[in-house]
Amino acid sequence: MKAAIDPLGHVPLRAHSYLIGEGPPQLDDSLWEQAGDGAVQTTPTELARFAQEYWEPRIGGPELLADRFAGAVADPHGEYGAGMFRQPGAGGTTVLQHSGAWASFRTGCATVPSERLGDGEL
């Protein structure tokens, strides 16, 4: 990914998360210093580029792609493995998705590999 941000680094003009309620908006950034969950900062374009790894694996090749759901955990709507939910989609397709939320930020990433579709949204 070309536009991922170091969550612990100083990023000028970085977006912050705010809670809206009575009174002025309140800063709602996390004080945790984690990487990965809760700290992936990128653009919708980069999320769409990341989704391409599920039909054109360049990082780790087909072997890594095949292993991403090895040992997946059952979910009421499908299964969860390697940071993605795998669920049945329309017409027998498989949808891989994860909706992200941290502090007051809301994001999501979904892909339908058999249709070569990927979407990242903010």
Side-chain angles (χ1 to χ4, degrees):
M1 294 175 73
K2 296 178 182 179
I5 298 172
D6 175 1
L8 304 179
H10 173 71
V11 179
L13 304 175
R14 179 179 70 90
H16 293 278
S17 181
Y18 292 89
L19 287 174
I20 306 296
E22 292 184 26
Q26 300 293 314
L27 189 63
D28 191 29
D29 278 347
S30 170
L31 299 177
W32 291 13
E33 293 183 353
Q34 77 274 25
D37 69 319
V40 176
Q41 301 175 42
T42 191
T43 66
T45 299
E46 289 298 314
L47 284 176
R49 184 174 289 132
F50 170 76
Q52 291 175 352
E53 287 295 317
Y54 286 92
W55 63 80
E56 286 180 7
R58 293 166 293 189
I59 301 170
E63 296 82 15
L64 179 60
L65 182 61
D67 287 345
R68 287 180 180 169
F69 285 94
V73 177
D75 173 81
H77 306 289
E79 58 188 346
Y80 179 80
M84 295 291 271
F85 290 94
R86 180 164 54 183
Q87 302 166 323
T93 61
T94 297
V95 177
L96 306 175
Q97 65 86 21
H98 198 291
S99 58
W102 189 253
S104 292
F105 286 113
R106 302 292 178 262
T107 63
C109 182
T111 181
V112 181
S114 64
E115 302 296 321
R116 300 176 67 91
L117 296 173
D119 180 36
E121 62 176 294
L122 290 178

